[in-house]
Amino acid sequence: MNSAASLAREEIRQLKPCIHGGEVWNIIGKSVLDREDILDFSSNINPLGPSPKAIKAIRDNLGLIPSYPDPDSTALRDAIASSIKGISRENVICGNGSIELIYLFADVFMSKGDMALIPAPTFGEYEKAVRRTGARPKLVKLSTAFKVEPSLFTREMKSAKAVFLCNPNNPTGILTPQATIAEIIEEALSENVLVFLDEDFIEFVDEEKRFSFAAEIKRYPNLFVLRSFTKFFGLTGLRVGYGVADEEVIRVLSAAKAPWNVNCLAQVAAAAALQDMEHIRKSSRLTKRERKFLASELSRISVLKVYPADANFLFIDVRQSGLTAAQLKEKMLRYGVLIRDCTSFAGIDEYYIRVAVKTRRENEKMLQALKKALSK
Ligand SMILES: Cc1ncc(COP(=O)(O)O)c(C=O)c1O
């Protein structure tokens, strides 16, 4: 037999893994640090963790484990639909993390010969999901201030099958105004192009600025809006996310998805989390206050350029420090703080880092570590 790897489809053989933050498991394997010794500022999760109501729902439903879960996450889809104006369960699909839906969307809609427009820099999995289908990603650079330039997308629209957007964007944390997103969706609609809009971080945006397109899917049959229970709701390890779109889009995606993709505990915990308004408000308040604190403290460090942020993380240019992001990450790890070196993101050089917004005590520890790392 030839090597098994040579039997894989060509586009699979050429895939490269996508690098992510939160690699604490990797680090504890290689260093003297224990899990509890590392403050993880590289992944952007609500520092308050999941809602106590979600944890209670898990405890109360452990008896479900010996049975298969609802293959279509019906009760959870109902709970999601009632949290978004004007939509019903038929407009919702749930996934094993929102990541499953990125791959499912690409698998269902893209194939060899197709092209997808993807901003740069942004979350790396869109590109990988597109490449995996044999289709071609075309990267569209953001402006020097990391803003989405709608004309750069609309001018390529005719030859595209789909456009991927992330709002607020990862790794920059910048929120694209609703008029810009609408302009791209409308141009896409007139050219029969799909828009995949990742709103995984939208719950962290201040209410007065927050504008989700999840309630706009009736206006835009070409739109798929992605959301997650990983970030704001802190159900990270349970793996649950969802997508909202026109019924027809949901129908084709649902026909292609694997059954039982969301486990029984994730389904009940996510539904309970959506209903815990107290935890939701507390998490929003904490993010708003700590993002402001962290941005202001970081801006006082003269060698750092801090970008304005709307999500729960800050994007920082460190070139004036004389260190690359990788060197700074390495130095900070000696003080037990893990930050995200953004070098792996397409479209930026090796001088950008990303840090999460956490509790005041954790943010102060990170600031101390950063100051020490920069001074030596
Ligand atoms: C922008 C963005 N989208 C999607 C995902 C996938 O998240 P999950 O599968 O945990 O919902 C991530 C994870 O980091 C992300 O940053």
Side-chain angles (χ1 to χ4, degrees):
M1 184 191 170
N2 293 334
S3 91
S6 70
L7 301 178
R9 281 189 286 124
E10 192 198 338
E11 47 270 24
I12 302 290
R13 278 186 275 128
Q14 291 181 0
L15 282 182
K16 294 192 182 65
C18 189
I19 294 171
H20 294 288
E23 73 271 37
V24 275
W25 304 112
N26 203 3
I27 287 164
I28 45 182
K30 286 190 202 144
S31 81
V32 292
L33 294 170
D34 287 331
R35 176 76 188 81
E36 310 80 67
D37 296 333
I38 302 173
L39 259 184
D40 181 12
F41 275 79
S42 72
S43 53
N44 310 309
I45 311 295
N46 181 349
L48 297 180
S51 141
K53 294 200 170 128
I55 301 297
K56 180 169 184 312
I58 293 170
R59 287 212 181 93
D60 292 349
N61 285 284
L62 290 172
L64 294 177
I65 290 178
S67 308
Y68 275 104
D70 173 358
D72 300 315
S73 306
T74 315
L76 176 56
R77 283 162 55 226
D78 279 339
I80 292 164
S82 47
S83 73
I84 300 167
K85 206 168 157 221
I87 72 161
S88 66
R89 159 203 310 166
E90 283 70 33
N91 298 113
V92 183
I93 183 170
C94 292
N96 189 249
S98 65
I99 195 72
E100 184 190 15
L101 302 174
I102 298 176
Y103 278 81
L104 182 65
F105 181 92
D107 279 349
V108 165
F109 291 110
M110 312 280 313
S111 53
K112 230 186 182 103
D114 290 337
M115 181 271 274
L117 295 171
I118 301 177
T122 196
F123 186 53
E125 296 286 355
Y126 314 135
E127 185 181 335
K128 189 173 158 208
V130 167
R131 284 195 192 283
R132 190 170 161 275
T133 68
R136 181 170 62 92
K138 181 157 194 181
L139 301 187
V140 180
K141 267 202 93 152
L142 299 178
S143 75
T144 47
F146 297 108
K147 301 240 160 84
V148 171
E149 303 265 21
S151 62
L152 298 185
F153 286 84
T154 54
R155 98 177 167 205
E156 304 279 355
M157 202 64 87
K158 265 198 170 32
S159 40
K161 180 80 173 280
V163 179
F164 286 79
L165 293 170
C166 185
N167 201 33
N169 192 28
N170 180 6
T172 62
I174 293 172
L175 184 73
T176 301
Q178 104 197 46
T180 307
I181 304 266
E183 187 180 338
I184 295 173
I185 300 173
E186 274 159 27
E187 178 67 19
L189 187 58
S190 70
E191 297 289 351
N192 272 324
V193 174
L194 293 159
V195 176
F196 185 97
L197 177 61
D198 183 338
E199 292 188 342
D200 272 14
F201 291 101
I202 198 102
E203 295 93 347
F204 291 106
V205 176
D206 297 344
E207 218 154 329
E208 58 276 15
K209 279 205 233 168
R210 193 183 305 164
F211 184 87
S212 166
F213 276 79
E216 305 299 312
I217 47 141
K218 294 264 144 85
R219 263 169 74 194
Y220 301 123
N222 61 332
L223 175 64
F224 181 92
V225 178
L226 187 73
R227 304 285 281 269
S228 179
F229 285 96
T230 290
K231 319 286 185 184
F232 185 81
F233 293 100
L235 296 175
T236 319
L238 280 185
R239 313 302 304 129
V240 51
Y242 63 97
V244 178
D246 181 76
E247 284 169 29
E248 206 184 322
V249 172
I250 297 298
R251 207 173 314 120
V252 280
L253 289 170
S254 303
K257 88 166 180 62
W260 313 297
N261 57 330
V262 182
N263 73 72
C264 54
L265 300 178
Q267 291 188 30
V268 293
L274 274 180
Q275 264 121 48
D276 189 349
M277 293 317 290
E278 192 190 330
H279 192 70
I280 290 175
R281 276 196 287 273
K282 211 163 135 190
S283 306
S284 295
R285 272 199 306 272
L286 176 108
T287 308
K288 189 171 187 167
R289 187 185 66 226
E290 291 307 312
R291 181 177 53 221
K292 198 167 162 210
F293 167 74
L294 210 48
S296 137
E297 291 297 310
L298 288 165
S299 326
R300 288 187 201 195
I301 305 175
S302 61
V303 293
L304 303 181
K305 178 173 178 192
V306 185
Y307 284 85
D310 282 298
N312 63 329
F313 50 88
L314 291 148
F315 184 60
I316 308 167
D317 181 336
V318 301
R319 76 192 65 234
Q320 295 293 332
S321 70
L323 297 172
T324 62
Q327 288 165 334
L328 186 56
K329 173 182 169 184
E330 177 63 36
K331 285 185 124 191
M332 288 190 69
L333 209 46
R334 290 185 215 155
Y335 303 109
V337 175
L338 178 64
I339 58 166
R340 176 70 153 100
D341 160 11
C342 293
T343 311
S344 64
F345 285 91
I348 47 176
D349 65 19
E350 67 272 36
Y351 292 103
Y352 293 92
I353 62 162
R354 193 192 65 201
V355 292
V357 172
K358 295 171 83 82
T359 61
R360 179 62 56 93
R361 203 174 54 81
E362 291 167 325
N363 292 337
E364 280 172 344
K365 279 195 181 166
M366 188 278 286
L367 286 165
Q368 257 177 25
L370 180 59
K371 284 174 190 163
K372 279 196 227 156
L374 289 171
S375 70
K376 288 186 190 149

